[in-house]
Amino acid sequence: MLPPSGLFLAGLALFSGLVESTILQNGQVRETSFKNTAVDIGAFSLKTYPPNATEISYQGRWDSKYVSWWSAPGLKFGYTGSQVAITFGRSTSPGVLVGYRIAGLDWQFTNVTGGQTHMLIGPDSPGVDLTGPINPMTFELRVTNWAFGIQIEAVHVGEGQKLVKLPNAPRRIEVIGDSLAAGMYTSYEGLSSWAYGVGAGLGNTDYSITAYPGICAADQDCWGNPRGQVHQWFYTSDTSWRATEAHGNNPEPWDFSKHPAADLVIINIGTNDQNSHNNVSAPVYIDALTKIVQGVHGKYPKAQVVVMSLWLGFSQTGNTYASVSSQGFVKEVQNMIRMFNSDKYLNNPTVYDGVTKTSSQTNKKTKPFVHLFNTTGILQHNDIAPQWHPTDVGAIKVASHLLQFIKMTFGWELEATGPEVFHETLYWNDEPSY
Ligand SMILES: *[C@@H]1O[C@H](CO)[C@@H](O)[C@H](O)[C@H]1NC(C)=O
Ligand SMILES: *[C@@H]1O[C@H](CO)[C@@H](O)[C@H](O)[C@H]1NC(C)=O
Ligand SMILES: *[C@@H]1O[C@H](CO)[C@@H](O)[C@H](O)[C@H]1NC(C)=O
Ligand SMILES: *[C@@H]1O[C@H](CO)[C@@H](O)[C@H](O)[C@H]1NC(C)=O
C-alpha cells in the first residue's frame, strides 16, 4: 500500500534537502544533515542590498571584492521580518560549508556555491520568531574552513523589511596563528577552534582569526605556504592557492586605518618554525616573532599582546601519557618577553611594518603590553588527536583556560553565558544507576 501522497512527498522533499558530508569522527563518517538552502530567487519578493551596504558588519578579513580570507571570517547584521537570503559571488569556493545562526542560538550548516542565492533564514527557521533578549534580531555567518572562502554579491530580506546596522562590539580581539588556531582537524574547523571559543566565550567581543595551517612566523616557505606571518599578517588575504589565484604576487595590504583596532591580540605561532622539516633557526624565528609583536604594536598601539607557548603533541610515554607541550624555543620566547618588558624597550619601543619592511622607534613610552600564556598542562589524554591537533574537547579546554587567563590578567568579564556554542559537542549520560 502506498502512503498518503502528502506524507510521501513531504518525506521525499526532506530527503532531497539533505546532502551527504564526509566529516570524519574517529575514522567514521559523521552523520550530518546540512540543509540544501539554494533557491530560485525569482520565486520570492525580496528587498536586496549590495555587498557594500553599511548595515553589513564584516568580521575577519575581506578584500575589496567582498571575498573572505583566513579562518572563520564572517558577517553580522540585524534584520526585520522572517527571511534572510544571500547571493554568493563567483569567487565563492564551490560547495563551501558555512555556519550561520540567529542571535546566540546553535549553528546551522549549509554548503553554498557561487552564482546561487541561498535562503538561510525562512519562516521555518528555529528561533525566527523570538525577538529577545537579543534585539534587533541578528544574523551571523562564518566560513568553517580556512582555505575556502565566500564572496558576497547581495543580501536579501523580505519585501518591506530591512537590514539593521549593529554597533561594533565594545571589545575586539585578534588571534594570529597557524593550524592550531585555525581549527584544523576539529569537527567544524574554524567554528570548533579554540580561537572561536575565546571570541564567542568572551561575549560582546568582535573577533578575527588571522591563522592559516602550516604557516611559519618566519618569512619563508613552510609546508607550501609561500610566506610567513611576519609578512602575511599585514595583508588581507592568506597564503592559500586560492589567494595566489586571486591576487598573484600582489595581495591587497590590509588597511588597518579602515578597521577598528584590536584591544587584545593572541599570538600562537612557531610550531611550524620549530619543525625540522622547515629548517627555521631559533634566531630567525625569534626575529620574526619579535617583528610580529612590533607590527601589532605599530598597528594597534593600545593593544595587549598574549604570546602562547608552543605545544607539540601527545603520546603514551612508558606507563602513562604525556602531552609534549611547551616545547620549542622555550628559552628564546622567555628572553623575548623579558626584552619587551625591559625599561630600555618600554621607554622607546620599536614598531614594524611588514609591507614596507621597516622598523622604527616610536620615542613614545609605553606600559608593559606583552604577556606569556603558558600552555603546559592544559592538554592531556584525549585532548590532542592522532594528527597532532586539539580534539574538539582539547580546543574547548584551550579556549576555557585562555578565557580565565584573560579575565584574571586584564579584568575582562566573561559576558557571554550561553552563545559560545561548539556545535555537536554535546554528549551526556541519562542512565542514573548501573
Ligand atoms: C558540504 O561541506 C562538507 C564539509 O566541507 C563536505 O564534506 C561535503 O562534501 C559538502 N557537500 C556538498 C554537497 O558539497
Ligand atoms: C556601493 O557601491 C556602489 C557601486 O559601486 C556605489 O554607487 C555606492 O555609493 C556604494 N555605497 C556605499 C554605501 O558605499
Ligand atoms: C638548514 O639551514 C642550515 C643553516 O641555515 C643550512 O646550512 C642547511 O643547508 C639547511 N638545510 C636544508 C635541508 O635546507
Ligand atoms: C611553562 O611552564 C612549564 C612548567 O611550569 C615550564 O617548564 C616551561 O618552561 C614554561 N614555558 C615557558 C615558555 O615559560
Side-chain angles (χ1 to χ4, degrees), residues 160-218:
Q161 304 296 336
K162 59 179 187 186
L163 292 184
V164 179
K165 180 161 179 61
L166 300 173
N168 286 334
R171 311 187 292 202
R172 181 170 286 259
I173 68 164
E174 180 161 346
V175 177
I176 302 175
D178 52 30
S179 56
L180 296 170
M184 195 173 199
Y185 298 123
T186 45
S187 292
Y188 287 93
E189 304 192 319
L191 272 180
S192 304
S193 68
W194 57 260
Y196 155 73
V198 174
L202 283 167
N204 285 328
T205 302
D206 284 336
Y207 58 94
S208 178
I209 308 172
T210 324
Y212 197 85
I215 197 168
C216 282

Short mmCIF file of all heavy atoms in Angstrom, two decimals, residues 160-218:
data_model
loop_
_atom_site.label_atom_id
_atom_site.label_comp_id
_atom_site.label_asym_id
_atom_site.label_seq_id
_atom_site.Cartn_x
_atom_site.Cartn_y
_atom_site.Cartn_z
N GLY A 160 9.63 44.86 1.98
CA GLY A 160 9.14 45.78 3.02
C GLY A 160 9.93 45.67 4.31
O GLY A 160 9.66 46.36 5.29
N GLN A 161 10.91 44.76 4.36
CA GLN A 161 11.74 44.59 5.56
C GLN A 161 13.08 45.29 5.35
O GLN A 161 13.35 45.82 4.28
CB GLN A 161 11.93 43.10 5.86
CG GLN A 161 10.62 42.34 6.01
CD GLN A 161 9.81 42.82 7.20
OE1 GLN A 161 10.34 43.38 8.17
NE2 GLN A 161 8.49 42.65 7.13
N LYS A 162 13.93 45.25 6.39
CA LYS A 162 15.21 45.96 6.23
C LYS A 162 16.33 45.32 7.03
O LYS A 162 16.08 44.56 7.99
CB LYS A 162 15.05 47.42 6.64
CG LYS A 162 14.61 47.56 8.07
CD LYS A 162 14.48 49.03 8.46
CE LYS A 162 14.19 49.06 9.96
NZ LYS A 162 13.90 50.33 10.53
N LEU A 163 17.56 45.66 6.64
CA LEU A 163 18.73 45.33 7.44
C LEU A 163 18.90 46.41 8.49
O LEU A 163 18.54 47.57 8.26
CB LEU A 163 20.00 45.29 6.58
CG LEU A 163 20.15 44.18 5.55
CD1 LEU A 163 21.52 44.27 4.88
CD2 LEU A 163 19.95 42.81 6.18
N VAL A 164 19.47 46.03 9.63
CA VAL A 164 19.70 46.98 10.72
C VAL A 164 21.17 46.92 11.07
O VAL A 164 21.71 45.82 11.31
CB VAL A 164 18.86 46.61 11.95
CG1 VAL A 164 19.09 47.58 13.10
CG2 VAL A 164 17.37 46.51 11.59
N LYS A 165 21.84 48.07 11.09
CA LYS A 165 23.27 48.05 11.42
C LYS A 165 23.46 47.75 12.90
O LYS A 165 22.83 48.37 13.76
CB LYS A 165 23.91 49.40 11.08
CG LYS A 165 25.39 49.37 11.43
CD LYS A 165 26.21 50.44 10.75
CE LYS A 165 27.67 50.38 11.17
NZ LYS A 165 28.31 49.10 10.81
N LEU A 166 24.34 46.80 13.20
CA LEU A 166 24.67 46.50 14.60
C LEU A 166 25.88 47.36 14.98
O LEU A 166 26.79 47.55 14.18
CB LEU A 166 25.03 45.03 14.75
CG LEU A 166 23.96 44.01 14.37
CD1 LEU A 166 24.54 42.60 14.43
CD2 LEU A 166 22.74 44.14 15.28
N PRO A 167 25.89 47.85 16.22
CA PRO A 167 27.08 48.60 16.63
C PRO A 167 28.27 47.65 16.72
O PRO A 167 28.10 46.45 16.93
CB PRO A 167 26.71 49.12 18.03
CG PRO A 167 25.60 48.24 18.50
CD PRO A 167 24.90 47.71 17.28
N ASN A 168 29.50 48.17 16.52
CA ASN A 168 30.68 47.34 16.77
C ASN A 168 30.64 46.90 18.23
O ASN A 168 30.19 47.64 19.10
CB ASN A 168 31.96 48.15 16.54
CG ASN A 168 32.21 48.36 15.06
OD1 ASN A 168 31.77 47.58 14.22
ND2 ASN A 168 32.92 49.42 14.74
N ALA A 169 31.15 45.70 18.48
CA ALA A 169 31.21 45.23 19.87
C ALA A 169 32.18 46.14 20.63
O ALA A 169 33.12 46.68 20.05
CB ALA A 169 31.69 43.79 19.91
N PRO A 170 31.94 46.31 21.94
CA PRO A 170 32.82 47.19 22.72
C PRO A 170 34.24 46.65 22.89
O PRO A 170 35.13 47.38 23.28
CB PRO A 170 32.11 47.28 24.07
CG PRO A 170 31.18 46.11 24.13
CD PRO A 170 30.82 45.78 22.71
N ARG A 171 34.45 45.37 22.61
CA ARG A 171 35.79 44.79 22.74
C ARG A 171 36.11 44.05 21.45
O ARG A 171 35.22 43.54 20.77
CB ARG A 171 35.85 43.81 23.92
CG ARG A 171 35.28 44.37 25.20
CD ARG A 171 35.51 43.47 26.38
NE ARG A 171 34.78 42.22 26.32
CZ ARG A 171 34.48 41.49 27.40
NH1 ARG A 171 34.87 41.90 28.60
NH2 ARG A 171 33.82 40.35 27.28
N ARG A 172 37.42 43.97 21.16
CA ARG A 172 37.81 43.36 19.89
C ARG A 172 39.09 42.58 20.09
O ARG A 172 40.06 43.10 20.65
CB ARG A 172 38.02 44.49 18.87
CG ARG A 172 38.41 44.04 17.49
CD ARG A 172 38.33 45.24 16.55
NE ARG A 172 36.95 45.58 16.28
CZ ARG A 172 36.30 45.23 15.15
NH1 ARG A 172 36.92 44.60 14.20
NH2 ARG A 172 35.04 45.56 15.00
N ILE A 173 39.09 41.32 19.67
CA ILE A 173 40.33 40.55 19.75
C ILE A 173 40.72 40.03 18.38
O ILE A 173 39.90 39.93 17.47
CB ILE A 173 40.23 39.34 20.73
CG1 ILE A 173 39.29 38.26 20.20
CG2 ILE A 173 39.82 39.78 22.12
CD1 ILE A 173 39.44 36.93 20.92
N GLU A 174 42.01 39.74 18.24
CA GLU A 174 42.50 39.10 17.03
C GLU A 174 43.42 37.96 17.45
O GLU A 174 44.20 38.10 18.39
CB GLU A 174 43.26 40.11 16.16
CG GLU A 174 43.79 39.48 14.88
CD GLU A 174 44.12 40.50 13.79
OE1 GLU A 174 43.70 41.67 13.89
OE2 GLU A 174 44.82 40.10 12.84
N VAL A 175 43.31 36.84 16.76
CA VAL A 175 44.19 35.70 17.01
C VAL A 175 45.07 35.53 15.79
O VAL A 175 44.56 35.44 14.66
CB VAL A 175 43.38 34.42 17.29
CG1 VAL A 175 44.32 33.23 17.48
CG2 VAL A 175 42.49 34.59 18.51
N ILE A 176 46.38 35.50 16.00
CA ILE A 176 47.33 35.30 14.90
C ILE A 176 47.94 33.92 15.08
O ILE A 176 48.48 33.62 16.15
CB ILE A 176 48.44 36.37 14.92
CG1 ILE A 176 47.83 37.78 14.84
CG2 ILE A 176 49.43 36.14 13.79
CD1 ILE A 176 48.85 38.90 14.98
N GLY A 177 47.84 33.07 14.06
CA GLY A 177 48.36 31.73 14.29
C GLY A 177 48.47 30.89 13.04
O GLY A 177 48.46 31.38 11.91
N ASP A 178 48.55 29.58 13.31
CA ASP A 178 48.69 28.58 12.25
C ASP A 178 47.51 27.61 12.34
O ASP A 178 46.41 28.00 12.75
CB ASP A 178 50.06 27.89 12.37
CG ASP A 178 50.31 27.36 13.79
OD1 ASP A 178 49.33 27.00 14.48
OD2 ASP A 178 51.48 27.31 14.21
N SER A 179 47.75 26.34 12.01
CA SER A 179 46.65 25.38 12.01
C SER A 179 46.01 25.21 13.38
O SER A 179 44.82 24.91 13.48
CB SER A 179 47.16 24.01 11.54
OG SER A 179 48.23 23.58 12.35
N LEU A 180 46.79 25.39 14.45
CA LEU A 180 46.25 25.17 15.79
C LEU A 180 45.15 26.18 16.09
O LEU A 180 44.13 25.84 16.70
CB LEU A 180 47.37 25.27 16.83
CG LEU A 180 48.45 24.19 16.72
CD1 LEU A 180 49.63 24.52 17.62
CD2 LEU A 180 47.89 22.82 17.04
N ALA A 181 45.34 27.41 15.66
CA ALA A 181 44.31 28.43 15.87
C ALA A 181 43.22 28.35 14.81
O ALA A 181 42.07 28.71 15.06
CB ALA A 181 44.94 29.82 15.88
N ALA A 182 43.58 27.88 13.61
CA ALA A 182 42.62 27.85 12.50
C ALA A 182 41.57 26.75 12.69
O ALA A 182 40.57 26.72 11.97
CB ALA A 182 43.34 27.65 11.17
N GLY A 183 41.83 25.83 13.63
CA GLY A 183 40.84 24.78 13.89
C GLY A 183 41.03 23.55 13.02
O GLY A 183 40.09 22.76 12.84
N MET A 184 42.23 23.35 12.50
CA MET A 184 42.45 22.18 11.65
C MET A 184 42.15 20.90 12.43
O MET A 184 42.58 20.75 13.57
CB MET A 184 43.90 22.18 11.18
CG MET A 184 44.13 21.23 10.02
SD MET A 184 45.81 21.43 9.40
CE MET A 184 45.62 20.69 7.78
N TYR A 185 41.43 20.00 11.80
CA TYR A 185 41.06 18.68 12.32
C TYR A 185 40.02 18.69 13.44
O TYR A 185 39.72 17.65 14.00
CB TYR A 185 42.29 17.88 12.78
CG TYR A 185 43.29 17.59 11.68
CD1 TYR A 185 44.61 18.00 11.78
CD2 TYR A 185 42.88 16.92 10.53
CE1 TYR A 185 45.52 17.74 10.76
CE2 TYR A 185 43.79 16.66 9.51
CZ TYR A 185 45.10 17.07 9.62
OH TYR A 185 46.00 16.81 8.63
N THR A 186 39.48 19.84 13.81
CA THR A 186 38.32 19.79 14.70
C THR A 186 37.07 19.63 13.82
O THR A 186 37.13 19.85 12.61
CB THR A 186 38.20 21.05 15.58
OG1 THR A 186 38.42 22.20 14.77
CG2 THR A 186 39.20 21.02 16.71
N SER A 187 35.96 19.26 14.42
CA SER A 187 34.80 18.84 13.62
C SER A 187 34.32 19.91 12.65
O SER A 187 34.09 19.64 11.49
CB SER A 187 33.64 18.46 14.53
OG SER A 187 33.96 17.28 15.22
N TYR A 188 34.14 21.13 13.14
CA TYR A 188 33.66 22.19 12.27
C TYR A 188 34.76 23.24 12.07
O TYR A 188 34.50 24.43 11.94
CB TYR A 188 32.34 22.77 12.77
CG TYR A 188 31.21 21.79 12.52
CD1 TYR A 188 30.84 20.88 13.49
CD2 TYR A 188 30.60 21.72 11.28
CE1 TYR A 188 29.86 19.92 13.24
CE2 TYR A 188 29.62 20.77 11.02
CZ TYR A 188 29.26 19.88 12.00
OH TYR A 188 28.30 18.94 11.73
N GLU A 189 36.01 22.73 12.10
CA GLU A 189 37.17 23.53 11.75
C GLU A 189 37.14 24.88 12.47
O GLU A 189 37.13 24.91 13.69
CB GLU A 189 37.26 23.61 10.22
CG GLU A 189 37.29 22.17 9.65
CD GLU A 189 37.64 22.04 8.19
OE1 GLU A 189 37.18 22.84 7.37
OE2 GLU A 189 38.41 21.11 7.86
N GLY A 190 37.14 25.99 11.73
CA GLY A 190 37.20 27.30 12.39
C GLY A 190 36.14 27.48 13.47
O GLY A 190 36.39 28.09 14.51
N LEU A 191 34.96 26.93 13.24
CA LEU A 191 33.87 27.11 14.22
C LEU A 191 33.96 26.11 15.38
O LEU A 191 33.10 26.11 16.25
CB LEU A 191 32.50 26.99 13.54
CG LEU A 191 31.96 28.30 12.97
CD1 LEU A 191 30.60 28.09 12.32
CD2 LEU A 191 31.86 29.38 14.04
N SER A 192 34.98 25.26 15.36
CA SER A 192 35.25 24.39 16.52
C SER A 192 36.61 24.73 17.12
O SER A 192 37.09 24.01 17.98
CB SER A 192 35.26 22.92 16.10
OG SER A 192 34.06 22.55 15.47
N SER A 193 37.23 25.80 16.68
CA SER A 193 38.59 26.12 17.12
C SER A 193 38.58 26.81 18.48
O SER A 193 37.58 27.42 18.87
CB SER A 193 39.26 27.04 16.09
OG SER A 193 38.65 28.32 16.08
N TRP A 194 39.71 26.75 19.17
CA TRP A 194 39.78 27.47 20.44
C TRP A 194 39.73 28.97 20.20
O TRP A 194 39.26 29.73 21.05
CB TRP A 194 41.01 27.06 21.26
CG TRP A 194 42.34 27.23 20.59
CD1 TRP A 194 43.08 26.26 20.00
CD2 TRP A 194 43.09 28.45 20.47
NE1 TRP A 194 44.25 26.79 19.50
CE2 TRP A 194 44.29 28.13 19.78
CE3 TRP A 194 42.88 29.77 20.86
CZ2 TRP A 194 45.26 29.08 19.47
CZ3 TRP A 194 43.85 30.73 20.56
CH2 TRP A 194 45.02 30.38 19.87
N ALA A 195 40.21 29.40 19.04
CA ALA A 195 40.21 30.84 18.75
C ALA A 195 38.76 31.35 18.68
O ALA A 195 38.42 32.40 19.25
CB ALA A 195 40.93 31.11 17.43
N TYR A 196 37.90 30.57 18.01
CA TYR A 196 36.47 30.90 18.00
C TYR A 196 35.91 30.90 19.43
O TYR A 196 35.16 31.79 19.83
CB TYR A 196 35.69 29.91 17.12
CG TYR A 196 34.24 29.79 17.51
CD1 TYR A 196 33.34 30.81 17.23
CD2 TYR A 196 33.76 28.67 18.21
CE1 TYR A 196 32.01 30.72 17.63
CE2 TYR A 196 32.45 28.58 18.62
CZ TYR A 196 31.57 29.60 18.32
OH TYR A 196 30.26 29.52 18.73
N GLY A 197 36.31 29.87 20.20
CA GLY A 197 35.79 29.74 21.57
C GLY A 197 36.14 30.94 22.43
O GLY A 197 35.33 31.39 23.24
N VAL A 198 37.34 31.48 22.24
CA VAL A 198 37.72 32.66 23.01
C VAL A 198 36.86 33.85 22.59
O VAL A 198 36.30 34.57 23.43
CB VAL A 198 39.23 32.97 22.85
CG1 VAL A 198 39.58 34.29 23.53
CG2 VAL A 198 40.08 31.84 23.43
N GLY A 199 36.72 34.04 21.28
CA GLY A 199 35.94 35.18 20.79
C GLY A 199 34.49 35.10 21.24
O GLY A 199 33.94 36.05 21.81
N ALA A 200 33.88 33.93 21.01
CA ALA A 200 32.46 33.78 21.36
C ALA A 200 32.28 33.72 22.87
O ALA A 200 31.28 34.18 23.41
CB ALA A 200 31.88 32.53 20.70
N GLY A 201 33.27 33.13 23.57
CA GLY A 201 33.16 32.95 25.01
C GLY A 201 33.25 34.25 25.79
O GLY A 201 32.64 34.39 26.85
N LEU A 202 34.02 35.20 25.28
CA LEU A 202 34.11 36.49 25.97
C LEU A 202 32.77 37.21 25.94
O LEU A 202 32.36 37.84 26.91
CB LEU A 202 35.18 37.37 25.32
CG LEU A 202 36.63 37.02 25.65
CD1 LEU A 202 37.58 37.75 24.70
CD2 LEU A 202 36.95 37.38 27.10
N GLY A 203 32.08 37.08 24.80
CA GLY A 203 30.82 37.80 24.63
C GLY A 203 31.06 39.28 24.43
O GLY A 203 32.08 39.82 24.86
N ASN A 204 30.14 39.93 23.74
CA ASN A 204 30.28 41.36 23.43
C ASN A 204 31.66 41.69 22.87
O ASN A 204 32.24 42.71 23.20
CB ASN A 204 30.01 42.22 24.67
CG ASN A 204 28.52 42.27 24.97
OD1 ASN A 204 27.71 42.22 24.05
ND2 ASN A 204 28.18 42.32 26.25
N THR A 205 32.19 40.79 22.07
CA THR A 205 33.54 40.93 21.56
C THR A 205 33.55 40.55 20.08
O THR A 205 33.07 39.47 19.72
CB THR A 205 34.49 39.98 22.34
OG1 THR A 205 34.41 40.32 23.73
CG2 THR A 205 35.92 40.10 21.86
N ASP A 206 34.07 41.42 19.23
CA ASP A 206 34.28 41.04 17.84
C ASP A 206 35.61 40.32 17.76
O ASP A 206 36.56 40.67 18.48
CB ASP A 206 34.28 42.28 16.94
CG ASP A 206 32.86 42.82 16.72
OD1 ASP A 206 31.90 42.02 16.85
OD2 ASP A 206 32.71 44.02 16.44
N TYR A 207 35.69 39.32 16.92
CA TYR A 207 36.93 38.56 16.84
C TYR A 207 37.30 38.25 15.39
O TYR A 207 36.45 38.11 14.53
CB TYR A 207 36.84 37.26 17.65
CG TYR A 207 35.74 36.32 17.23
CD1 TYR A 207 35.98 35.30 16.32
CD2 TYR A 207 34.45 36.46 17.73
CE1 TYR A 207 34.98 34.44 15.93
CE2 TYR A 207 33.44 35.60 17.35
CZ TYR A 207 33.70 34.59 16.44
OH TYR A 207 32.70 33.75 16.05
N SER A 208 38.62 38.17 15.19
CA SER A 208 39.16 37.94 13.86
C SER A 208 40.28 36.92 14.02
O SER A 208 41.09 37.04 14.94
CB SER A 208 39.70 39.28 13.34
OG SER A 208 40.28 39.13 12.08
N ILE A 209 40.30 35.89 13.17
CA ILE A 209 41.28 34.81 13.32
C ILE A 209 42.19 34.80 12.09
O ILE A 209 41.84 34.27 11.04
CB ILE A 209 40.58 33.45 13.52
CG1 ILE A 209 39.55 33.53 14.66
CG2 ILE A 209 41.62 32.36 13.79
CD1 ILE A 209 38.68 32.29 14.82
N THR A 210 43.36 35.43 12.25
CA THR A 210 44.30 35.52 11.13
C THR A 210 45.25 34.34 11.22
O THR A 210 46.42 34.48 11.61
CB THR A 210 45.06 36.86 11.20
OG1 THR A 210 44.17 37.87 11.69
CG2 THR A 210 45.55 37.29 9.83
N ALA A 211 44.73 33.17 10.91
CA ALA A 211 45.51 31.94 11.10
C ALA A 211 45.39 31.08 9.86
O ALA A 211 44.32 31.05 9.23
CB ALA A 211 44.98 31.18 12.32
N TYR A 212 46.48 30.38 9.54
CA TYR A 212 46.46 29.52 8.36
C TYR A 212 47.35 28.30 8.59
O TYR A 212 48.49 28.44 9.03
CB TYR A 212 46.92 30.29 7.11
CG TYR A 212 46.50 29.55 5.87
CD1 TYR A 212 45.24 29.73 5.33
CD2 TYR A 212 47.35 28.61 5.28
CE1 TYR A 212 44.82 29.01 4.22
CE2 TYR A 212 46.94 27.88 4.17
CZ TYR A 212 45.68 28.08 3.65
OH TYR A 212 45.27 27.35 2.57
N PRO A 213 46.84 27.10 8.29
CA PRO A 213 47.62 25.88 8.56
C PRO A 213 48.99 25.87 7.86
O PRO A 213 49.11 26.25 6.70
CB PRO A 213 46.73 24.77 8.00
CG PRO A 213 45.35 25.29 8.18
CD PRO A 213 45.47 26.77 7.87
N GLY A 214 49.99 25.40 8.61
CA GLY A 214 51.32 25.19 8.05
C GLY A 214 52.21 26.41 8.03
O GLY A 214 53.41 26.31 7.79
N ILE A 215 51.63 27.59 8.27
CA ILE A 215 52.40 28.82 8.12
C ILE A 215 53.40 28.98 9.27
O ILE A 215 53.14 28.58 10.40
CB ILE A 215 51.43 30.04 8.02
CG1 ILE A 215 52.16 31.27 7.45
CG2 ILE A 215 50.82 30.35 9.38
CD1 ILE A 215 51.19 32.40 7.08
N CYS A 216 54.56 29.54 8.94
CA CYS A 216 55.58 29.86 9.94
C CYS A 216 55.45 31.31 10.36
O CYS A 216 54.78 32.11 9.70
CB CYS A 216 56.97 29.65 9.35
SG CYS A 216 57.49 27.92 9.25
N ALA A 217 56.13 31.67 11.46
CA ALA A 217 56.33 33.08 11.76
C ALA A 217 57.34 33.64 10.76
O ALA A 217 57.14 34.71 10.18
CB ALA A 217 56.83 33.25 13.19
N ALA A 218 58.42 32.90 10.55
CA ALA A 218 59.50 33.34 9.65
C ALA A 218 58.99 33.44 8.22
O ALA A 218 58.14 32.65 7.79
CB ALA A 218 60.66 32.34 9.72
#
